Amino acid sequence: PIQIFRVKEGVNFNPGDPNYDLFKLAMRVSAKRLFPNFSFIDAPFNLKYYKPGHPETEVGYMGCRTRVMGNVCGPEIAPGRGNLSFTSINLPRLAIEAYKEVPDDETYSNPQKERFLRFKWRLYDLLMDVEEQLLDRFDVQRKRLVRNFPFLMGEGIWMDSETLGPDDEVGEVLKNGTLSIGFIGLAECLKMLTGSHHGESEEAQKIGLEIVKAIRNWCDTATKHYNLNFTCLATPAEALSGRFVAIDKEKYGIIPGVTDRDYYTNSFHIPVYFPITAARKIELEAPYHALTNAGHISYVEMDGDASANLEAFERIIRYMKECGIGYGSINHPVDRDPVCGYNGIIGDECPHCHRHEQEIVTERIKRIREV
């Protein structure tokens, strides 16, 4: 479990807000121990649901970014709901297949445009398959009985579950949850389609937004058609990122900038190996937060002891809010001396007990590096 601090103007964001001291404390703790992360209630796509005095309308993110809020089947609140299932699309593979059909030669007057068209056809075909798969899974889930989930339903964990009897089907309760379509490897996909990822060129950023908008629009259309909550997810793919690229590497070989690493980049993130300022990374990733209504997160990496530079830490958090980030976090190394208990950055010598590196085994706490 992790902690997430909700940031809200008038509550804790500015000096004079009643809980401003808690915001300052949250940043100090995060700079020392990595958590809490920060969710921003004032992001336009979160603020639209917020009703003062009704905490159930405050967007609640699950630690790995999942967000459940909009609801065509009932109240648009966070408690008592969840993500029913999700399926993630391997964007780089679609781009590789499109490139195989339309290489950079003289066959087409505008190969990049033609390649993107082929890519979109493949994407729409796959979206149809994913939609059908999610509906099939929901059909299985909804026919289960309350007695199959004695704790969840008996304790009223799901919205309205207390109204059902032990032999009732759970479909009327589960329909308040979400069916999500996720994606992985936008950066490598763009590299394959355009020769650059969205951190390297404005053209790639434009195409990247168009791709994610296409997924979101598909989800919105499916929501209206089936009266179920289809949502677009910026997939947390720590395991999937390695699995997908291993499969594609075996099938297509080593493609520079695409399959030449041990992972695909998570969701819409700028690649971690690409040199970029924190501000620019936030600016480029922020528009994707508004599109991915099933969940998202943006990370910024800080070197050294973040607790020694709280002003910089706070500037990053504030700029996330200013740019419309929904959920963000700052990564930095944290060391611990298991003998004296010192927490912080440990180099050749522990700053507290002064034991040298050869004498100690340092415990390094580091959030799984987002790829």
Side-chain angles (χ1 to χ4, degrees), residues 50-123:
Y50 176 76
K51 297 178 182 177
H54 294 271
E56 70 276 12
T57 65
E58 297 175 11
V59 171
Y61 287 88
M62 190 269 281
C64 211
R65 83 191 68 191
T66 301
R67 172 186 182 275
V68 178
M69 199 63 204
N71 189 7
V72 296
C73 299
E76 293 184 312
I77 59 176
R81 305 173 60 211
N83 180 254
L84 301 174
S85 54
F86 73 89
T87 298
S88 294
I89 293 174
N90 182 349
L91 292 180
R93 171 171 286 202
L94 300 183
I96 293 170
E97 291 289 346
Y99 188 91
K100 286 166 63 71
E101 292 182 358
V102 187
D104 285 322
D105 56 27
E106 298 178 356
T107 305
Y108 298 93
S109 58
N110 190 336
Q112 183 171 303
K113 181 179 180 180
E114 180 65 25
R115 190 181 305 139
F116 187 46
L117 287 174
R118 303 292 181 97
F119 168 84
K120 287 199 293 185
W121 294 340
R122 291 177 178 279
L123 176 61

Side-chain angles (χ1 to χ4, degrees), residues 15-71:
D17 289 347
N19 291 320
Y20 178 66
D21 59 327
L22 295 182
F23 179 43
K24 301 287 283 190
L25 177 61
M27 288 186 288
R28 189 161 72 249
V29 172
S30 185
K32 186 174 183 179
R33 299 294 295 171
L34 285 175
F35 299 105
N37 294 340
F38 297 85
S39 65
F40 300 93
I41 303 301
D42 291 319
F45 45 85
N46 290 335
L47 189 61
K48 63 185 286 189
Y49 300 105
Y50 176 76
K51 297 178 182 177
H54 294 271
E56 70 276 12
T57 65
E58 297 175 11
V59 171
Y61 287 88
M62 190 269 281
C64 211
R65 83 191 68 191
T66 301
R67 172 186 182 275
V68 178
M69 199 63 204
N71 189 7

